[in-house]
Amino acid sequence: MRVAKRTFLGMALALAVTTALSPALQAQEGPVVIYTAHKSSIVDRLLPVFEADTGLKAEVVQLGSGDVARRARAEAGAPAADVIWSISGSQLSELADILEPYNPPEFDTIDPQFVTDVAWTPYTSVVYVLAVNTDMLSLDDAPKSWAELADPKWQGQIASARADNSGSAMQQLQAVLTIFGDEGWDTYAEIAKNFVLTDSSGSVPRFVADGETSMGLTLEDNALEYVHGGAPMGVILLSDGTVATPDGVALVRGGPNPEGGKAFIDWALSKSTQELLANEIGRRSVRTDVAPPPGTPNLSDVNVVRPKPLIDLGGAEGVLGLWRVAIGE
C-alpha cells in the first residue's frame, strides 16, 4: 500500500482558488481521501495538477483494485474514503450500495456507450492489449488472438496479473468467458497454463520489457509507457476480441468530505484533465470532445468486445472461486 499526502502549493494560490469555490466546499475541512488502483507514475503526475487546479489537498491510498473494493466494503459502516478512483466499472457496480450517485457538471460530454450504472461515472476507456518483447519474439510470430494464447508452446511466456488483485486481469477473464461462451472456462484454463502470474497489472509490462516473459496481457497505456521509453516492445490488439471498457470514479456514500469528493470527480472529468490523460499518459478519454492518444489505432477498426458484467457471470466472489480452480490453486 502506498499513501501519498499532498499539501497546498502556496498560500497565495490556495487563497485565490478557494475564494472561487462554493461555500459548502470551503466549509469542508481536511483532505480529499482517495482510494485508487492507479499506478504511482499516474498518481504522481495527476495529483499535483488536481491540487494546483482546485487549491484542495488530497490524500491518496494506492492498492490493487480488488483490495480497493474490499477495503471500501469493509469500511462501509464508517467510510474513510471520499472517492474511489480508477477501478473497473464491473467492480464499482458490485459496490453500488456503498456509493453515492453523482453526475459532474460536464456529464453530457461523456460518450453514452460508457454510461452503464448511475452509481459511478466513467473515467477513461481502458483498452487491454498483448505486449510483446520484440527482441524475444517478432510481432509476426506472436499470437494474434485469445485462442492462440492457449497453445502449449507459449507455456511460461505470458505474464498476467492475478484476477483476485487486479481489475484489468479480471476484465481479461471476463472477456474470455464472454467470447468463448460455454467453452469459456475451459479456454481460460488452457491459456492460464501459459501464465506467469504477477501481483499487479503494472508489473506485467516490466516483466515483458526485462525479458522475464516474451509476452504479457496488460493495459494499453502501461505498454505504451514502455514503448515510448525505448523498450523493445510492440503491442497487439487481439483479433477475436479486444477489450475496451470504462474504468470509473465514484463518490463513497457517507465519506468525510463529500464536497471535496465531488470537486475531485469534476476535475477528473474536465476536458483539460482528460486531454492530459490522453496525450501524456496514453489513456483514452470517455469524453466525445477529446482525441485518442497519439499513434493509437481507431477502435472502430478493431474487433471490440464488451465483457459480460460480473453479476451475469456469477458475481465477483463466485468468479474468483472458479478462477482459482482454473489456475490450479
Side-chain angles (χ1 to χ4, degrees), residues 12 24 30 51 82 85 88 105-106 126 168 174 177-178 212 217 220 224 236 244 251 256 269 272 293 302 305 309:
E51 292 185 337
D82 300 300
W85 179 32
S88 75
E106 298 182 14
V126 183
S168 64
Q174 291 170 242
L177 299 180
T178 301
E212 296 182 56
L217 292 164
E220 181 181 47
L224 290 175
I236 292 174
L251 191 67
L269 272 296
S272 61
V302 176
V305 61

Side-chain angles (χ1 to χ4, degrees), residues 63-236:
L63 299 163
S65 55
D67 287 333
V68 167
R70 284 186 284 272
R71 180 162 174 169
R73 172 68 69 191
E75 295 173 346
D82 300 300
V83 174
I84 297 175
W85 179 32
S86 188
I87 71 172
S88 75
S90 271
Q91 289 173 307
L92 287 170
S93 289
E94 292 254 320
L95 297 174
D97 60 308
I98 67 167
L99 302 177
E100 188 69 38
Y102 173 70
N103 288 343
E106 298 182 14
F107 187 81
D108 60 353
T109 67
I110 298 174
D111 190 330
Q113 69 174 310
F114 298 125
V115 180
T116 61
D117 194 323
V118 298
W120 54 274
T121 302
Y123 165 61
T124 62
S125 174
V126 183
V127 176
Y128 299 88
V129 302
L130 181 70
V132 179
N133 184 312
T134 51
D135 282 349
M136 301 175 68
L137 181 67
S138 73
L139 291 178
D140 287 341
D141 293 334
K144 305 298 190 301
S145 67
W146 291 101
E148 291 178 49
L149 292 177
D151 192 318
K153 71 180 180 180
W154 305 123
Q155 185 174 7
Q157 295 195 49
I158 306 171
S160 173
R162 293 182 59 91
D164 56 358
N165 197 45
S166 166
S168 64
M170 177 66 89
Q171 289 278 292
Q172 291 156 8
L173 168 57
Q174 291 170 242
V176 173
L177 299 180
T178 301
I179 293 165
F180 294 96
D182 291 343
E183 303 299 319
W185 279 111
D186 290 338
T187 301
Y188 185 86
E190 293 302 309
I191 296 172
K193 290 178 182 178
N194 299 329
F195 281 166
V196 174
L197 293 173
T198 73
D199 289 333
S200 69
S201 59
S203 298
V204 171
R206 178 181 60 76
F207 270 55
V208 178
D210 291 348
E212 296 182 56
T213 60
S214 61
M215 295 172 282
L217 292 164
T218 190
L219 282 68
E220 181 181 47
D221 59 286
N222 284 351
L224 290 175
E225 181 180 11
Y226 281 81
V227 171
H228 295 157
M233 190 182 295
V235 174
I236 292 174

